[in-house]
Every structure is written in structure tokens, then in C-alpha cells.
Amino acid sequence: MNAAGPPAPAGGPGPLAALLPPWAAGAEDLGPGPQPWLYAEEDEQLAEGVVGARWTEFATARMCARRALLRLGAAPGPLLRGSRGEPLWPAGVVGSITHRAGYRAAVVGPAGATAALGIDAEPAVALRPGVLRRIALPEERAGLAALPPVPGLPWDTLLFCAKEAAYKAWYPLARVPLGFHTAEVRFHPERSGVTVRPVAVRPVGERAHGRPCAAAGSPPSPQAGSSRSPGSPAAPGGAAGLPLLEGAYAAAGGLLVVLLTAAAPRTLPPPPRTAARCASSRS
């Protein structure tokens, strides 16, 4: 798979299809389409005043999640949020969602196939000056400097994207605040691959919504404190308690997408899975 390429053709598959493991199911939406919908329980969980484009992004991402779950064989139903906004997947399912203007996607898999999934998408524009030093470990900055330049692929934002995906994969397991320095990212451009290793670090604060940063190009915000250190071996979110993550990245059409998984015993048969464009039917 090429690291960068032309935009996906209108109506054609997006970047997710090339990233999905064979045991996973995914769905994505690449642009304006039919009006999405939410279950009443999902709509009630949104903050009052969430309307317009933001509501549409959330609802379309939930629609993608429902499509992915159906492809996995899960029964339809509302997909609610946890205390920090994380999706509460059905029993026996792990998954992840990403949404931003112009792109929404969800990926799910059986818990017997992987311990964690994380997906994130970011615009393919370089981070603002000074942001990289705040989110990257010294080893990561050295690694980025050694990577070859690729048109349409800003390595610094891809690093941010990988750390966001890692947070989404690890948080359901850790249940404690995680920061940018909890993850050490290494890229493997010869195969468009990425590896994320948990790192023992000092305690970090916890920011609203439980995510380490709001968007590519924005400096990370302070987070509220935690009584336990994510880097402590005794803490469930410490390096000893989080799995190594492996996956791949794609860059096309001004978009970066990273999908990460954690290895686990594969006790379930792997049915064929492909990424599907979201539909507007209540299926």
C-alpha cells in the first residue's frame, strides 16, 4: 500500500478498506450524504445545543458504527457513550470511531480476535510550530527527522494521529488518564506500518472528554489530575498493563488515517470483512 496517493474517487472506497484486518468490520463516510439519524437514547446523551455540522458528524459516525456492527453480526441498537465520551460497545465486541469534517469511520472486531482497536483521522497538514515538541518524546522527534519526505504526508501530524488512535485503543483497558508521552510511536514506511509501545511516564492530567488533544495543529490542553500514575506498574494504565499496538496508516485526499490493533488469541473464525460506505437506512 502506498503511503500517499490521489483522493478516493467519488462513490469509491476510502482509506479504511486497505487498513482493515481480515477479522474486522468497518464502515466509512467520505462526504455529504443523506441525513443521518440517532436513536433517542444516543441523542439524549449529546450536550444541549449540539446542532448543525457537529451533530451531523456525530450522527454519521454512529451510523457507520451501526453498519460495522451489523457486518460483524451484532444486533442493532443504540451505541451509548461512557463517562469520557468513549463508545460503549456490545458485549464481546471491541471497536473505535473517528469523525471530523469530511470523514467519519468506525471499525469493530470480536473480542476474541483482539484486545483493543483504535482509529483516528486527521487533516494532512503540518502541526503548528512548537506542538511537536510538546507531544513527542525525544526518540520520536529523532525518528521523524530520519524519515524520507513524502508528498501529502506530514510525519508530525501522522505521529499525532497515531497517538490519538493509541489513546482510543488503550483507554477502555486502562480506565485512567493517558497522555501523549504514554505512547512511543515508530513508523515503518516500507510497509506503511506503525507500532506504538506503551511507555512508563510521570502522572499526567486529565482533560475534558478524556482525549489527549482536541485536533491536529492545536497545542495539547492541560488535563485535570489523577491520583494514580499511568506509568506506574501498579496502575492499570501503566506500561506493564497496556498491550503493544500495531497497525497501518494511509494518506490520501488531504486526509491521514491510522488504525491500530492489539494482538490477542483469535478464538473466533475470521469471516471476510470489507469496509462499507454508510447507508441511511435504519438497518
Side-chain angles (χ1 to χ4, degrees), residues 50-259:
V50 174
V51 295
R54 187 177 175 189
W55 185 94
T56 300
E57 283 185 18
F58 180 88
T60 306
R62 278 301 192 270
M63 186 171 67
C64 287
R66 289 192 290 270
R67 295 285 293 177
L69 285 167
L70 285 174
R71 293 181 64 80
L72 198 68
L79 184 61
L80 302 181
R81 302 194 297 172
S83 60
R84 290 189 172 88
E86 73 280 8
L88 300 178
W89 301 100
V93 174
V94 294
S96 185
I97 294 174
T98 187
H99 59 86
R100 62 178 43 261
Y103 187 77
R104 280 75 56 176
V107 60
V108 295
T114 185
L117 277 168
I119 186 172
D120 190 62
E122 302 293 340
V125 295
L127 296 177
R128 294 194 303 206
V131 175
L132 179 62
R133 181 166 293 276
R134 297 179 63 184
I135 70 170
L137 299 165
E139 299 83 355
E140 292 174 320
R141 296 197 297 271
L144 292 186
L147 292 171
V150 178
L153 198 165
W155 290 111
D156 57 351
T157 303
L158 189 65
L159 179 80
F160 175 95
C161 190
K163 293 203 174 198
E164 287 277 286
Y167 182 91
K168 295 177 186 179
W170 281 337
Y171 179 74
L173 303 175
R175 309 306 300 181
V176 295
L178 303 172
F180 284 112
H181 293 175
T182 307
E184 181 183 351
V185 177
R186 294 186 180 182
F187 295 115
H188 312 284
E190 70 283 357
R191 54 184 172 86
S192 297
V194 57
T195 303
V196 184
R197 180 177 68 90
V199 179
V201 294
R202 295 171 57 190
V204 296
E206 174 189 5
R207 70 162 294 182
H209 309 304
R211 300 179 69 235
C213 193
S218 302
S221 301
Q223 301 178 337
S226 169
S227 60
R228 302 188 69 177
S229 165
S232 169
L242 295 175
L244 179 76
L245 301 173
E246 296 183 309
Y249 60 84
L255 186 74
L256 305 175
V257 180
V258 173
L259 175 61

